[in-house]
Amino acid sequence: MLKYHFDWSIITSGKYFEWLVSGLKITLELSAVGIVGAFVLGLVIAVLKMSNFKPLRWLASVYLEFFRNTPLLIQIFFWYFGSYKILPTAVNEWLNNTNFEFAAAAIALIIYTSAFIAEDIRSGILSIPKEQMEAARSAGFSFLRSMQYIILPQAVRITIPPLVNQFLNLAKNSSLAMTIGVMELTYQARQVESYSFKGFEAFTAATVVYLALSVSITFLMDLYNKKVLNPQRS
Amino acid sequence: MIQFQNVHKWFKTLHVLNDVNLHVKQGEVVVVCGPSGSGKSTLIRTINKLEPINEGHLTVDGMDLLSKKTDLNRLRAEVGFVFQQFNLYPHLSVLSNITLAPTKIRKTPKKEAEEQAMQLLERVGLAMKRDAYPTQLSGGQQQRVAIARALAMKPRIMLFDEPTSALDPEMIGEVLQVMQDLAKTGMTMVVVTHEMGFAREVADRVVFMDHGVILEEAQPEEFFLNPQHDRAKQFLKQLLSPMH
Amino acid sequence: MDLDFQVILDNFTYFMIGRYPNGPLGGLGLTMYLAVVSCILSFFGGLILGLLSLSRYAVIRYPVNLFINTIRGLPLLMVIFWMYFLLPALMGKTVPESQTVIMGLTVFTSAYMSQIVRAGIMGVPKGQTEAAISTGLKGWQTMLYIILPQGMRNMIPSFVNQFVSLIKDTSLAFIVGVSELTHVGTQVNNRTMSYPTEIFIFIAAVYFVLCFAFTSFSRWLEQRLAWRKSI
Ligand SMILES: Nc1ncnc2c1ncn2[C@@H]1O[C@H](COP(=O)(O)OP(=O)(O)OP(=O)(O)O)[C@@H](O)[C@H]1O
Ligand SMILES: [Mg+2]
């Protein structure tokens, strides 16, 4: 450790800097795609899980339990290495013409995270006391109008913090995509290490970027908690 | 025994104790009353330093509460405290609730501590509940166990913060009885309560507080028959009105 | 789509215990070993960090919280790489991969466990502390005899959930070459070439059975403890 010569210049400019920046770009792309997809899919699963039709509820439960209780890495490997045998030929052809690594990682992240998101959305809606619905109905609102004006606005407010937390988890989990060759931030940090032997600098750079992401989102969330959820406190 | 001299306390900008002077002699029973938010709890909680004071002097059993040298744990072991919400330890049996502090602090052997605990339970009339858990007891029973727990440390002073306000009316009597018996043994007691019957019968002195100020300090008879201060008159009228 | 699960049967023991007893433990056995050891270490790590993060001394509280939040802001993969990279430098010798992974998992999980400990402690009503110190108990005695035993009850289901996360997280050991279940899966996949679907479905199923069992256990505990509390 004592003999180690720090050289921060290699990660602040030049080839390695560009690698790291391109890695960050892919991390952000993968996270963005993942977040949108996971949110939409999570919403659908949450609705299924709360439907009145038993087989749908059951299906949603199986989905939730299965994808929450298997490692994301295995799910990534499955989509990357193993999905071709169970997907229709047309889909396989389409996938082969796209950036397959990216697509497999995105699919895995979306499905894995959607299972957590669905649960958060569901408990958000269930946390609204059922008297709220009764009150709305007896005030003359229809079921849908009650949902729209009374239940959902409340549910959304309490669901946002856990959802944002899941988005943050997704961004961090996107680092696993490096295992199938997606050149995101962690991949590039490792790449810089093996080419330059400046692992300390490379990992520090990646660490700082991940922390910047987390800190800024956590900060926004604190603000939201203070301003929206507990506005009465100063 | 307890001496307040020009004591002040603030919660941020709220002046909760305003120039309090009070002297409680050994063996005396002092009842503190006053409207909600007047600072009664704060006053009694300063005596074992659950709340520190900001200004003035406070000595308890010879210990100066502002001095850094005062051993806080020793002070608290000397002063028993009974809470409005009982605060029994829900994960421990009645017996263990009582023996915990003597065995851990006074290093009393377990067997001896249990014997003493049984004597105390006998005294509060709950010997048969030794192995019960707090959630299995009624409020009145819980409060009596809490009193036994405080007594187990052989305190020289006992403090009560509205010990009967959380109780159903039919259980108030059993707790007051235990307190009255305790007063007869010569224990120094400070009691925040609105039970005027208890004050009349047991107290040596009644202290009336409002807005952090001690407005009146008198013998019970005098206080009830002939309150000096308008606020005290109003308070007593409200307390005795059938609306209450 | 026709799947052929013969490959699973042929390699079953290898999946379960690696080359043990003729070689080192691997496969599911090693996965469990990594998870259990890291879990025990993280329990104590989380307890210590959680207590320190509630210290009344700012000089302790601030750095500890900074550490906890830094770790929680990072992907587990980064933490493992840091260990991979820092441990040999700190220890002055090479560190076996499995120990590197255990350290990485422990540091990472301790940070999360500390939050469970914190919430558990803060969930115990303030009156309990006041009652305890009013009888003369010292701060640490109050924590040990009154607060922790009550807080633990709220923490246990969350601890079990954290253990489930740990089981899933051990799959990352694959990346530094520890031959646990995931690694064994990719090995068999590379060797046999044509059964990736079967292999990864099987491995997912193994993880699922294990994790689901503990998830269900945690739910059961939660209900049971809630019920006990209400009598
Ligand atoms: N920890 C605290 N922080 C800030 N303000 C407090 C705190 N504790 C009490 N107060 C405020 O101090 C004032 C006095 O409170 P205190 O509890 O001593 O009143 P009290 O006479 O015991 O009232 P009650 O009869 O309702 O128990 C109140 O206005 C209360 O809101
Ligand atoms: Mg009070």
Side-chain angles (χ1 to χ4, degrees), chain A residues 18-222:
Chain A
E18 277 161 25
W19 286 7
L20 290 171
V21 170
S22 75
L24 172 61
K25 224 180 110 217
I26 293 184
T27 290
L28 292 178
E29 275 170 24
L30 190 53
S31 303
V33 171
I35 285 172
V36 173
F39 177 69
V40 173
L41 192 54
L43 199 60
V44 171
I45 305 293
V47 170
L48 291 185
K49 172 102 194 194
M50 286 186 296
S51 81
N52 285 327
F53 189 48
K54 205 167 174 196
L56 282 184
R57 277 209 307 274
W58 191 81
L59 205 69
S61 297
V62 170
Y63 179 97
L64 282 175
E65 296 299 349
F66 186 75
F67 289 110
R68 284 161 63 105
N69 284 301
T70 29
L72 173 60
L73 190 57
I74 297 295
Q75 296 185 31
I76 291 178
F77 286 168
F78 173 80
W79 294 110
Y80 185 62
F81 294 114
S83 61
Y84 71 91
K85 279 197 196 178
I86 61 161
L87 292 178
T89 329
V91 177
N92 276 327
E93 268 169 17
W94 177 75
L95 279 174
N96 283 332
N97 292 328
T98 59
N99 179 346
F100 186 46
E101 288 84 15
F102 188 92
I107 292 171
L109 280 168
I110 287 173
I111 291 183
Y112 182 75
T113 313
S114 72
F116 289 88
I117 285 181
E119 204 48 51
D120 287 334
I121 293 178
R122 194 176 78 98
S123 44
I125 292 179
L126 289 184
S127 72
I128 307 300
K130 70 172 191 301
E131 288 79 12
Q132 291 285 320
M133 176 56 95
E134 286 164 4
R137 293 305 294 276
S138 38
F141 289 107
S142 70
F143 175 81
L144 283 180
R145 289 277 171 265
S146 307
M147 268 289 175
Q148 183 185 350
Y149 293 127
I150 315 294
I151 307 297
L152 286 182
Q154 297 185 57
V156 166
R157 278 155 61 109
I158 26 181
T159 314
I160 283 179
L163 276 189
V164 170
N165 196 31
Q166 294 301 350
F167 295 161
L168 209 51
N169 283 342
L170 187 144
K172 288 185 277 177
N173 284 333
S174 71
S175 61
L176 293 190
M178 70 164 282
T179 56
I180 54 170
V182 177
M183 292 146 115
E184 45 69 70
L185 184 57
T186 308
Y187 181 97
Q188 294 292 13
R190 212 156 176 235
Q191 199 77 340
V192 172
E193 189 221 349
S194 45
Y195 277 80
S196 67
F197 300 106
K198 293 291 175 195
F200 192 87
E201 289 86 338
F203 285 132
T204 302
T207 297
V208 167
V209 172
Y210 279 117
L211 286 181
L213 272 177
S214 305
V215 167
S216 45
I217 291 180
T218 310
F219 176 75
L220 288 178
M221 228 44 261
D222 280 351

Side-chain angles (χ1 to χ4, degrees), chain B residues 2 27 41 83 164 200:
Chain B
I2 306 171
S41 295
F83 299 85
T164 57
R200 221 179 262 258

Side-chain angles (χ1 to χ4, degrees), chain C residues 159-173:
Chain C
F159 280 146
V160 179
N161 284 335
Q162 201 61 54
F163 181 63
V164 172
S165 296
L166 246 177
I167 296 177
K168 292 193 286 173
D169 287 344
T170 55
S171 62
L172 270 65

Side-chain angles (χ1 to χ4, degrees), chain B residues 11 14 16 34-43 51 84 161-162 194:
Chain B
F11 284 122
L14 187 68
V16 257
S36 180
S38 56
K40 308 178 298 289
S41 295
T42 310
L43 176 81
E51 303 287 357
Q84 181 174 358
D161 189 3
E162 305 208 31
H194 292 158

Side-chain angles (χ1 to χ4, degrees), chain B residues 115-133:
Chain B
E115 276 165 19
Q116 288 169 5
M118 282 314 292
Q119 283 172 14
L120 287 167
L121 281 176
E122 212 84 60
R123 226 167 111 184
V124 300
L126 287 172
M128 68 292 183
K129 295 290 186 190
R130 53 170 284 169
D131 295 319
Y133 281 82

Side-chain angles (χ1 to χ4, degrees), chain B residues 45 48-51 72-74 76-77 79-81 83 86-92 100-101 104-105 107 135-136 149-150 153, chain C residues 124-142 144-150 153 228-231:
Chain B
R45 286 158 63 89
N48 71 347
K49 215 172 178 181
L50 281 177
E51 303 287 357
L72 248 182
N73 295 312
R74 212 195 99 210
R76 287 174 177 157
V79 180
F81 200 108
F83 299 85
F86 332 133
N87 294 342
L88 291 180
Y89 312 133
H91 62 301
L92 298 179
L100 183 74
K104 299 300 175 197
I105 299 159
K107 306 288 176 217
T135 42
Q136 298 164 330
R149 174 178 69 181
M153 290 301 283
Chain C
V124 177
K126 198 161 129 259
Q128 291 290 316
T129 309
E130 292 187 346
I133 62 176
S134 290
T135 57
L137 287 176
K138 299 189 181 77
W140 67 268
Q141 290 173 317
T142 303
L144 188 62
Y145 300 122
I146 306 300
I147 308 300
L148 277 182
Q150 292 181 52
R153 171 185 275 250
R228 278 273 223 75
K229 216 185 268 178
S230 69
I231 45 170

